[in-house]
Amino acid sequence: MARRPSVSSVQIAREAGVAQSTVSRVLNGGSVAPETRRRVLEVLAKHDYQPNLAARSLVAARTGLVGVVIRDLTNPFYPVMVRAVEQVLHEQGLRLLLLSDVATAAESLAMLRRERVDGVVFTSAVREDPLAWPVSEHGIPVVLCHRTIEGFPGDQVEADNAGAARLAADHLLDLGHRRLGMLCGTAQASTAEQRAAGFRARLAERAPEVELVSVQGGYDYATSYAAVRELLAGPHRPSALFCHNDVMAHAALNAAAAEGVDVPGELSVVGCDDVPTSSWERIALTTVRQPLARIAEVAARLLLERLQDPQAPLRHEVLPVQLVERGTTAACRQVPGRGAG
């Protein structure tokens, strides 16, 4: 059982110079300005204030616990996003429950309900997601982060994926490439659909004569590596390759090395995301930067606002992207035995 507080919340509020309702919002994970929250927490810590958490959650119908669902712990994309979500939650006194694809959808749903999470942020939902839809149907607020699902009853935030693909296409066309490859992500993911559509549309607008071959990588390193090796060993090797994320681009770079194909001399490679490893000197990947931390931060704040006002209109935020040119792209040159790009 929790120790009875030695001071009241009224005394805490008076000493912190705030209203009692502000102290209550801090204790219950409500929206409070960071500086105000810091001041209240200092007074709470000074008096070792220990409210009865069980009683508080019964009164407020809130547990202060937020679920975050990711699919691939090995992708450096996700730690950046999880950390940003956790930072926002921490500022509001909330805790994070992380779920990955180790558990089945049924097991994850059971855990989220058992832990009575206040809401859930999904970072990699797909169209017929086996968990996002059931979670929402059970009345738990859901925010889709980085992925979107048409008609989903929750707030959504993403980068401008079609715009990212257009930037990649413009960059490669400006370098003179006319024989292009595209390494595509998961078929049911909104990111893959939008990037593929944006890339094709931009090529059609600027260079209808361009040759384009698409192969599946599924946002997976091993699958992408095998697909690119097969593509480069075949008769229709492209002079440039647009990869739907950076992990796939890293796989493409290693596949090119295994096939003896020089990057960027014989093959230009563009990724999408700009994960931290892409800027490493030995990789130096040209990519389209998504504001990863900002996307996650917006998702967390959308969820907090949804908890404060469950009846507010649904929101869909789209954040801008930018091309980051590094060392894996160069002007197209004729490849011996392969013809001009």
Side-chain angles (χ1 to χ4, degrees):
M1 296 181 63
R3 181 166 55 82
R4 183 177 180 178
S6 59
V7 295
S8 69
S9 61
V10 174
Q11 292 171 289
I12 296 292
R14 186 180 300 118
E15 186 170 338
V18 300
Q20 184 183 9
S21 60
T22 301
V23 176
S24 178
R25 285 200 301 276
V26 170
L27 293 171
N28 289 290
S31 179
V32 179
E35 176 57 28
T36 302
R37 173 179 163 73
R38 182 195 62 76
R39 195 163 68 247
V40 172
L41 288 175
E42 285 181 353
V43 178
L44 290 170
K46 173 183 174 182
H47 293 285
D48 193 22
Y49 189 88
Q50 301 283 340
N52 189 314
L53 295 179
R56 191 181 77 195
S57 66
L58 287 173
V59 172
R62 297 265 294 276
T63 62
L65 187 63
V66 171
V68 176
V69 179
I70 65 175
R71 287 285 181 258
D72 184 5
L73 285 168
T74 65
N75 189 332
F77 177 99
Y78 291 107
V80 174
M81 303 195 81
V82 171
R83 181 177 178 83
V85 171
E86 187 175 23
Q87 180 62 41
V88 172
L89 298 181
H90 174 73
E91 289 172 359
Q92 299 301 325
L94 304 179
R95 297 167 295 134
L96 181 149
L97 175 66
L98 185 64
L99 291 89
S100 70
D101 57 2
V102 172
T104 66
E107 290 169 338
S108 294
L109 177 60
M111 179 182 295
L112 292 170
R113 297 187 66 193
R114 182 173 64 249
E115 298 296 331
R116 297 177 56 239
V117 297
D118 294 333
V120 182
V121 174
F122 281 83
T123 64
S124 52
V126 294
R127 273 200 308 271
E128 304 299 328
D129 197 279
L131 182 57
W133 287 99
V135 168
S136 179
E137 289 166 359
H138 277 86
I140 301 173
V142 170
V143 173
L144 301 185
C145 172
H146 169 58
R147 300 273 180 81
T148 62
I149 301 175
E150 186 175 356
F152 188 82
D155 300 299
Q156 308 186 49
V157 56
E158 61 180 330
D160 182 3
N161 291 294
R166 289 193 294 270
L167 288 175
D170 282 338
H171 179 59
L172 295 176
L173 291 175
D174 289 345
L175 290 172
H177 295 281
R178 293 298 183 271
R179 194 171 66 249
L180 305 177
M182 180 164 58
L183 187 58
C184 300
T186 303
Q188 284 199 322
S190 61
T191 48
E193 293 176 345
Q194 293 163 351
R195 291 170 191 175
F199 195 70
R200 290 192 177 98
R202 193 58 169 165
L203 296 183
E205 291 171 6
R206 288 195 51 186
E209 77 286 358
V210 78
E211 297 178 38
L212 176 64
V213 57
S214 299
V215 293
Q216 283 294 324
Y219 289 138
D220 172 73
Y221 180 93
T223 304
S224 298
Y225 179 83
V228 174
R229 287 203 67 174
E230 183 176 355
L231 176 64
L232 297 180
H236 303 294
R237 193 174 86 195
S239 67
L241 183 65
F242 170 49
C243 305
H244 280 187
N245 78 3
D246 280 4
V247 169
M248 300 164 75
H250 297 168
L253 296 178
N254 285 336
E259 292 295 326
V261 176
D262 178 64
V263 175
E266 297 176 88
L267 178 71
S268 286
V269 177
V270 178
C272 191
D273 285 343
D274 197 26
V275 298
T277 50
S278 291
S279 65
W280 291 2
E281 292 180 359
R282 290 298 295 270
I283 298 177
L285 178 69
T286 294
T287 187
V288 182
R289 176 179 295 157
Q290 296 192 78
L292 305 181
R294 179 59 182 160
I295 293 171
E297 178 186 331
V298 170
R301 297 199 183 283
L302 285 176
L303 181 59
L304 293 177
E305 293 171 10
R306 177 61 53 194
L307 294 176
Q308 293 295 318
D309 187 1
Q311 303 306 316
L314 294 178
R315 287 192 285 175
H316 183 175
E317 304 283 345
V318 180
L319 303 186
V321 296
Q322 65 180 108
L323 181 76
V324 180
E325 187 175 356
R326 297 193 180 103
T328 59
T329 52
C332 182
R333 71 180 189 185
Q334 184 164 336
V335 180
R338 298 284 183 174

